[in-house]
Amino acid sequence: DFPIALARAINDRGAVPLISWEPWDWDGGTQQPAYALRRILAGDHDALIDRWATEVAAYRRPVLLRFAAEMNGDWRPWSIGLNGNRVHEYVATWRHVRERFARAGAANAIWVWNPVIAYDGSTPLSALFPGADEVDWLAVDGYNWGSTRAWGWQSYADIFAPTLSALHKLAPRRPLMIAETGSAPDRRKASWVADTL
C-alpha cells in the first residue's frame, strides 16, 4: 500500500515525498517476466495500480512518483531488451499507469520521468520519452564511480552535462532534478561534492 503515515510525517516536516515506484520483485533479479511491460499493459497489475491511485488521491497532498526509473539502462526488469520489453511498450506503460491515476482522481501525483545518465549502449532518451504533456518533472541519476570503473574519476560536468542538455531539449519548460547522485570514496570526494553543489 501507499505509505500514507510516512507521507504524512514527511509532509509535517515541510517536505514532499519522492517515491521510486518500481514494477518488480526487488529480490528477484532482472529476469522477471511477470513484470514485463507487456504484462502491465495487459492489465495484470491494474488492481495494484488502482489501489495506489486511490490511496494517493485520498492523501490529497503532493506526491512525487518516479515510476520505473533508469529505464534507459540494462539492469532493471523494465529495461528495454530484458523480459522482452520494447521501446514503445515503455512509453505505453507510462501512459497506462498515469491514466489510471487520473481516473482515480489522483491529481496530486506528480510524475517524475527519471533516466540514468546517457552512456554508450543506453537506450536513447528520445525513444523512451512519453511526451512533455505526460511528464511533470524530469530527473536524472548519475554517479562518480571513481576508480571502481574503467573510465575513472569524473567531474559533475563529465557526468551530467550531456544528459541535462538532452533532457532540456525534450521538455524545456519542465522542472529538473538530480534524483540520485554520489561519489566513490577518495581524497577528492569533498571537493567533488562542493563542485557538484
Side-chain angles (χ1 to χ4, degrees):
D1 291 326
F2 169 67
I4 195 162
L6 180 59
R8 285 180 177 143
I10 292 167
N11 180 263
D12 289 347
R13 289 177 168 257
V16 176
L18 172 61
I19 296 175
S20 298
W21 204 35
E22 302 176 335
W24 67 327
D25 173 358
W26 69 272
D27 198 26
T30 58
Q31 296 304 316
Q32 298 188 29
Y35 296 97
L37 297 175
R38 68 184 171 283
R39 301 285 13 114
I40 299 169
L41 285 171
D44 291 6
H45 303 284
D46 281 355
L48 173 65
I49 295 166
D50 293 347
R51 186 170 78 234
W52 263 66
T54 300
E55 292 168 353
V56 167
Y59 174 62
R60 297 187 192 161
R61 294 170 189 86
V63 176
L64 293 153
L65 287 176
R66 289 176 43 190
F67 175 71
E70 299 186 0
M71 75 299 288
N72 58 322
D74 62 1
W75 50 86
R76 301 288 195 186
W78 55 88
S79 296
I80 305 310
L82 294 178
N83 298 301
N85 295 327
R86 295 178 290 180
V87 168
H88 74 277
E89 291 172 331
Y90 178 83
V91 171
T93 298
W94 176 277
R95 292 176 177 165
H96 173 80
V97 173
R98 186 168 178 168
E99 172 59 28
R100 298 198 76 82
F101 270 68
R103 283 188 212 165
N108 54 318
I110 301 166
W111 294 91
V112 181
W113 189 73
N114 187 175
V116 69
I117 59 163
Y119 61 91
D120 289 340
S122 65
T123 304
L125 298 179
S126 59
L128 296 167
F129 188 60
D133 57 337
E134 295 286 335
V135 171
D136 300 313
W137 274 75
L138 300 171
V140 63
D141 299 345
Y143 294 90
N144 173 25
W145 295 99
S147 62
T148 67
R149 298 292 192 273
W151 51 83
W153 193 263
Q154 294 180 293
S155 71
Y156 166 86
D158 294 335
I159 298 164
F160 288 105
T163 303
L164 291 174
S165 176
L167 291 175
H168 182 71
K169 288 176 186 170
L170 288 173
R173 292 189 171 87
R174 291 292 184 246
L176 174 64
M177 74 172 88
I178 295 174
E180 295 181 23
T181 193
S183 176
D186 184 283
R187 62 179 172 71
R188 298 170 286 181
K189 182 175 180 176
S191 295
W192 184 89
V193 170
D195 178 60
T196 297
L197 291 174

